[in-house]
Amino acid sequence: MAAVSTSSTGLGTTTSGYPVALVLASILSVQFGGALAATLIPVIGVLGSVALRLGIGALVMLAVARPRIGGHTRADWLTAATFGIALAVMNSTFYGALGRLPIGVAVTIEFLGPLLLAAALSRHLLDGVAVLAAGVGVVLISQVASTARDQVDVIGIGLALLAGAAWAAYILLSARTGRAFGGTEGLAWAMVVAAALVVPAGLVVDGTALFAPDALIKGAGIAILSSVLPYSLELLALRRLDPRVFGILLSLEPAAAALAGLLILHQSLTAIQLAGMALVVCASAVVTMRSAAPVD
């Protein structure tokens, strides 16, 4: 999941190949990190996998960002803490969905969260139509209309929808945290909060399994691929890239997830599911272009 909101604008942005390549690398990193997580979940469980990602990720972010404790108000710390709660909920529910659904399906359903947020903020009729098209796409990719009711993983779909809602909250809180803290300091403290919420639960539920060498290696890989590397790549890209182009590129997340699922997990999607994914990707691109366009 991408971590940076597309609402910011800057001078001197461009659409040249280098920043575009950084964003594409970030997207692939996130989704291949998710695919790696899907191989760890059956071994140590959902909470254990999230605990390793957030715990190791928080340690790395603290080492890289070296955030300051002083110089912030109580409101700033409340914002960072709320951001951390959203981060914990987003990862826990998404990993829960990964344990039940193919990664391409889970990411596409989850993508409804930021898509609905962007449409709600823009309030254009065309965006409402795009959201309806995305809803049809989710119905197609989840196969709820073509599968017997007792074979539909309602819990997995529900977890993906909750992850999408948390992702929307994450985007809003990311912007607020960015205004309250310099650089990546706010993100570092938010990851500390998220880790403090999830790691104890992971230890209680999954115990010493978290400290198995294979689990630690995969956990470190997930933390780097899903958190540290994409955050850094996106930060570099946004210094040069038009925010509208950045948002459109992020619309490729579901497709990247399907690719990672195919190459790493050998999960294939049907033609109908791919059509549903295409609807969501196109709807996201339409909403992004309109929300980033100047207001008349």
Side-chain angles (χ1 to χ4, degrees), residues 27-29 31-39 102-104 254-269 274 277:
I27 292 170
L28 290 173
S29 180
Q31 300 308 332
F32 277 82
L36 182 59
T39 67
I103 185 174
L259 177 63
L262 178 64
L263 295 179
I264 303 299
L265 306 173
H266 308 292
Q267 296 173 345
S268 59
L269 301 178
L274 291 174
M277 179 182 294

Side-chain angles (χ1 to χ4, degrees), residues 101-110 112 133-147 152 157 254-255 257-258 268-281:
L101 303 172
I103 185 174
V105 175
V107 170
T108 303
I109 296 174
E110 183 196 26
L112 277 182
V136 173
V138 168
V139 169
L140 292 177
I141 196 168
S142 64
Q143 297 183 314
V144 294
S146 59
T147 305
V152 175
I157 294 173
S268 59
L269 301 178
T270 67
I272 292 178
Q273 287 179 307
L274 291 174
M277 179 182 294
L279 278 174
V280 174
V281 169

Side-chain angles (χ1 to χ4, degrees), residues 111 114-115 118 130-131 134 247-248 250-252 254 278-291:
F111 212 73
L115 176 58
V131 169
I248 294 170
L250 289 189
S251 301
L252 297 174
L279 278 174
V280 174
V281 169
C282 291
S284 177
V286 167
V287 172
T288 299
M289 285 188 289
R290 290 191 61 81
S291 63

Side-chain angles (χ1 to χ4, degrees), residues 12 17 24 48 97-98 130 161 176 183 196 226 245 251 275:
L24 292 176
L98 272 186
L161 289 172
R176 294 179 186 175
S226 298
V245 176
S251 301

Side-chain angles (χ1 to χ4, degrees), residues 138-284:
V138 168
V139 169
L140 292 177
I141 196 168
S142 64
Q143 297 183 314
V144 294
S146 59
T147 305
R149 184 173 300 178
D150 59 347
Q151 295 180 358
V152 175
D153 196 327
V154 178
I155 295 177
I157 294 173
L159 287 170
L161 289 172
L162 284 174
W167 191 358
Y170 176 95
I171 291 172
L172 294 174
L173 291 166
S174 175
R176 294 179 186 175
T177 304
R179 290 191 294 267
F181 294 82
T184 56
E185 285 188 351
L187 175 61
W189 289 126
M191 290 192 69
V192 169
V193 171
L197 292 172
V198 177
V199 170
L203 290 172
V204 169
V205 174
D206 298 305
T208 57
L210 273 65
F211 300 102
D214 185 57
L216 287 174
I217 292 172
K218 284 188 176 181
I222 294 165
I224 292 172
L225 288 173
S226 298
S227 298
V228 178
L229 183 58
Y231 297 160
S232 302
L233 291 174
E234 288 172 3
L235 194 63
L236 289 172
L238 281 173
R239 292 173 180 170
R240 301 186 179 186
L241 190 64
D242 186 321
R244 187 186 309 183
V245 176
F246 178 78
I248 294 170
L249 289 172
L250 289 189
S251 301
L252 297 174
E253 292 257 12
L259 177 63
L262 178 64
L263 295 179
I264 303 299
L265 306 173
H266 308 292
Q267 296 173 345
S268 59
L269 301 178
T270 67
I272 292 178
Q273 287 179 307
L274 291 174
M277 179 182 294
L279 278 174
V280 174
V281 169
C282 291
S284 177

